[in-house]
Amino acid sequence: MIEASCHCGNVRITVDEAPPTLTSCNCSVCRRNGGLWAYYAPTQVTVSGDTVAYVQGDRMLELRHCGTCGCVTHWNPVDPAGTRMGVNARMMAPEIVAAARIRHFDGADTWEFLD
């Protein structure tokens, strides 16, 4: 069981297992919020605490952040039938991030992995 939390501890996230791979995206939102994304099925993730949603662009994702400290914690698909969500691994312990492979995704231009 892996636990993650925002800076103030208001938002807590639990996942069953550590992510083997993380994605660093350079799109206009991710490069500004510094997200490092671990992907899970929504059924694998438990989120507690109050978050605020930000939906932009193609309106496919709800980017969620803590309403108290502002940390971006995760994103959900807008479509409730979505099968994948992202957890910001920066909310996890540093050793979890250090053990994962980080892939770089060009979300700003080509929509391809750069590695």
Side-chain angles (χ1 to χ4, degrees):
M1 178 87 48
I2 303 297
E3 294 182 358
S5 69
C6 64
H7 190 260
C8 72
N10 177 50
V11 179
R12 297 190 179 277
I13 299 173
T14 306
V15 295
D16 292 337
E17 58 189 33
T21 305
L22 301 172
T23 300
S24 176
C25 177
N26 67 353
C27 77
S28 62
V29 174
C30 291
R31 70 182 172 87
R32 286 178 170 89
N33 70 37
L36 188 57
W37 302 108
Y39 301 114
Y40 296 94
T43 56
Q44 294 177 286
V45 180
T46 301
V47 178
S48 62
D50 296 322
T51 61
V52 178
Y54 173 67
V55 180
Q56 63 87 40
D58 59 9
R59 308 196 64 75
M60 299 294 289
L61 306 176
E62 284 184 343
L63 197 64
R64 310 292 293 190
H65 67 273
C66 174
T68 303
C69 69
C71 287
V72 174
T73 56
H74 65 288
W75 61 258
N76 293 322
V78 170
D79 182 349
T83 59
R84 182 171 90 152
M85 68 178 286
V87 174
N88 187 353
R90 301 251 187 237
M91 304 300 115
M92 297 176 183
E95 58 270 16
I96 300 296
V97 175
R101 175 181 177 218
I102 297 177
R103 298 200 65 200
H104 296 273
F105 184 73
D106 185 10
D109 189 30
T110 66
W111 281 80
E112 294 179 0
F113 282 98
L114 301 173
D115 48 285

